[in-house]
Amino acid sequence: MPAADLTRAALSAARVWLVGGGKMGGALLTGWLDHGVAPDNVTVIDPGLDQGPHGVRLAADPAAPLAEGPAPDVLLLAVKPQVMDSVLPAYRALGGGPTVVLSVAAGRLIAGFETAFGPGTPVVRSIPNTPAAVHRGMTVACANGHVTDTARATCEALLGAVGDIAWVTDEALIDAVTAVSGSGPAYVFWLTECMTQAGIDGGLPADLAARIARATVCGAGALMDASPEDPATLRRNVTSPNGTTAAALEVLMQESGGLGPLMSRAVAAATQRSQDLAG
């Protein structure tokens, strides 16, 4: 069976409880429904929601779905890291069985979920990013030893419904992933802000500067996505010798104070913060 058909089959059969229907949870839910998850196979547990997509069950707390069963194939935790500890005890009964605990919360270790749910619980820790809202996300995931191939395929299908997905076997790498892709959209947005301000400083009207900066960043991203060439080649393609782009890159590519070393320091700071949050 082709990979796309396997993905759709895994999605259509999956029973999912989504804990937290906020921005990330909502983006995931939309992606699932668009890719074939049956609405009546999904339960969204969030006291702040009073309506959802047609056919998706809503619950204010886990008591009702836990009492009625059956247990979900995947319990996806999409609540903020700082409230996770207050949420987990309600789902303790799902631990130690076939239900996969799938987290999208930053800074929460697999070991913490194993402790909360008990021995033998399958756990997947993942880090998606905000472009998941437009189905262009990047997610990296890590599974513990209790996750079967079938469960892994289901988690991959769920996460892949909103973009690209990669796996790592070393959980320690998730901190760097968080710093690059999890936080990365903010870097791109800030670059766009800086380009806008630079245009204003160069004499452009503010609305025009904002328009061309935004369009340029979006267009360059689309070109990079569509091109088989790597970013370095694409950069060289637009850089004429002794031209305007070369003049700008001489500033941006300085060995000590340029964008490269600055980005490395920024990612290192975000990585350290991720490690600090994980304890």
Side-chain angles (χ1 to χ4, degrees):
M1 184 181 292
D5 292 339
L6 286 171
T7 297
R8 183 166 290 276
L11 281 170
S12 63
R15 295 190 310 275
V16 187
W17 291 3
L18 172 63
V19 183
K23 289 184 178 179
M24 184 55 68
L28 289 164
L29 177 59
T30 300
W32 300 340
L33 298 178
D34 287 348
H35 284 77
V37 170
D40 56 3
N41 277 353
V42 179
T43 298
V44 180
I45 305 169
D46 189 324
L49 295 180
D50 55 10
Q51 63 179 358
H54 179 70
V56 172
R57 180 182 181 187
L58 297 180
D61 62 66
L66 280 170
E68 296 174 7
D73 299 305
V74 178
L75 174 72
L76 195 145
L77 301 168
V79 298
K80 294 184 182 300
Q82 58 267 32
V83 302
M84 186 70 77
D85 289 337
S86 64
V87 169
L88 294 183
Y91 302 94
R92 179 65 173 79
L94 296 174
T99 297
V100 181
V101 176
L102 172 56
S103 168
V104 298
R108 303 301 305 219
L109 299 176
I110 288 174
F113 294 110
E114 292 173 333
T115 298
F117 285 91
T121 301
V123 178
V124 173
R125 177 186 176 190
S126 70
I127 297 294
N129 61 10
T130 56
V134 292
H135 297 187
R136 295 301 304 273
M138 180 67 227
T139 302
V140 177
C142 183
N144 72 0
H146 301 295
V147 177
T148 65
D149 290 343
T150 299
R152 178 182 169 119
T154 299
C155 291
E156 181 163 330
L158 291 169
L159 297 170
V162 293
D164 198 5
I165 176 172
W167 293 84
V168 295
T169 56
D170 182 359
E171 187 184 4
L173 296 177
I174 294 293
D175 295 312
V177 168
T178 302
V180 175
S181 64
S183 301
Y187 312 156
V188 177
F189 301 148
W190 174 240
L191 172 64
T192 309
E193 292 181 69
C194 291
M195 289 173 62
T196 299
Q197 185 59 52
I200 294 170
D201 294 343
L204 294 176
D207 58 345
L208 179 59
R211 179 180 176 184
I212 64 176
R214 186 184 186 116
T216 298
V217 170
C218 293
L223 173 61
M224 183 165 55
D225 183 56
S227 175
E229 298 178 319
D230 60 41
T233 299
L234 293 172
R235 169 179 55 80
R236 289 191 291 267
N237 289 346
V238 77
T239 307
S240 301
N242 299 316
T244 57
T245 306
L249 288 176
E250 284 183 11
V251 176
L252 291 173
M253 298 176 72
Q254 293 179 26
E255 291 186 8
S256 58
L259 181 59
L262 181 62
M263 184 60 70
S264 292
R265 294 198 300 274
V267 168
T271 300
Q272 182 60 57
R273 181 57 178 157
S274 179
Q275 293 170 345
D276 292 344
L277 289 172

